[in-house]
Amino acid sequence: FTLKAGQIAAFFPGIVGTDYQITETLSEANQELWFCDGPAVSGTLPAKGASKAIVNYYRWKDLYLTKKITHQEQKDYDKSPVPFTFKITRTGSAGNGWLENVEWALLDENGKETERKPIGDDGTISCICGGKTIKITGLEAGVTYRIEEIDIPELYACKNPGVTVVMPPRSGKQDITITNDYLMRPLSVTKTVVAGEEGRETAYT
């Protein structure tokens, strides 16, 4: 028998004390999209009947990459924005390789996606994203990924250029933050002038 998400089927396997087992079988196409935490449920039928659920998880997850900048106001960055570049690779048992069907989009101030774009052939993303978040879609559950900032812009030292994450099997997303420190600093100079016989001081800044 076949069920769609959220549907319920009722069965009458026998009298009280009857043993039962229900096993989900995923087609090859469905295995590309979903995985099952426990494909079989079983038990012994009680007097008032039994209720069982089989849960599937979507295999492809989202990574939210936030670019944080310290020692620079957002308005000052927006006046002269610079792009940041990141490289994503699969690591561990999954091995390195091409990231198929991976796309990314910059989120606006309301958290909504802008235009989706495919990841670069070399696994790179480059955009003006200071103080913003990039949503990366199509990363596989349970797989370890390495996200590194490369080609770091002048005057923006990176505090944590590399982050390693495991995409969560039972959650829809993973959040990371990569922080850059703006190296330019303001300098305040005070000039004190002593004038007159009384030695009064006047300060100029």
Side-chain angles (χ1 to χ4, degrees):
F1 65 96
T2 301
L3 295 178
K4 295 181 180 179
Q7 289 184 333
I8 300 173
F11 300 93
F12 306 92
I15 62 174
V16 172
T18 299
D19 294 330
Y20 65 89
Q21 177 173 299
I22 303 173
T23 302
E24 179 178 4
T25 57
L26 286 172
S27 67
E28 185 174 339
N30 278 338
Q31 288 180 24
E32 290 293 321
L33 297 176
W34 312 90
F35 67 92
C36 193
D37 203 17
V41 294
S42 59
T44 301
L45 197 65
K48 295 184 179 181
S51 176
K52 297 287 185 178
I54 294 179
V55 180
N56 293 87
Y57 298 92
Y58 190 58
R59 184 175 298 276
W60 306 103
K61 310 296 181 177
D62 301 331
L63 176 68
Y64 286 73
L65 168 59
T66 299
K67 165 54 65 184
K68 180 180 178 181
I69 298 177
T70 57
H71 294 103
Q72 186 180 41
E73 298 288 338
Q74 185 68 40
K75 59 183 178 62
D76 294 328
Y77 170 82
D78 292 337
K79 289 178 182 177
S80 301
V82 298
F84 294 94
T85 304
F86 311 94
K87 183 177 180 66
I88 304 176
T89 54
R90 295 166 64 105
T91 65
S93 59
N96 296 328
W98 166 243
L99 303 174
E100 296 182 0
N101 302 318
V102 176
E103 297 181 326
W104 65 275
L106 192 65
L107 302 185
D108 63 18
E109 59 275 6
N110 298 315
K112 302 296 184 181
E113 290 186 22
T114 57
E115 179 186 2
R116 277 200 183 189
K117 300 178 182 179
I119 198 170
D121 290 345
D122 54 354
T124 59
I125 295 171
S126 184
C127 67
I128 295 173
C129 57
K132 299 181 180 180
T133 298
I134 301 171
K135 180 181 178 182
I136 305 167
T137 62
L139 301 184
E140 188 173 359
V143 173
T144 302
Y145 292 88
R146 177 75 175 173
I147 300 92
E148 296 181 285
E149 182 174 343
I150 60 175
D151 301 330
I152 299 173
E154 186 179 4
L155 300 181
Y156 287 90
C158 192
K159 293 184 175 181
N160 58 329
V163 179
T164 301
V165 297
V166 179
M167 296 307 294
R170 296 169 188 82
S171 176
K173 67 171 186 172
Q174 178 72 274
D175 296 282
I176 65 171
T177 299
I178 294 182
T179 302
N180 291 76
D181 189 24
Y182 186 56
L183 299 181
M184 299 294 285
R185 298 287 190 273
L187 175 64
S188 177
V189 179
T190 299
K191 176 67 174 178
T192 301
V193 177
V194 179
E197 295 180 358
E198 296 82 2
R200 290 177 297 177
E201 296 184 355
T202 302
Y204 300 87
T205 300

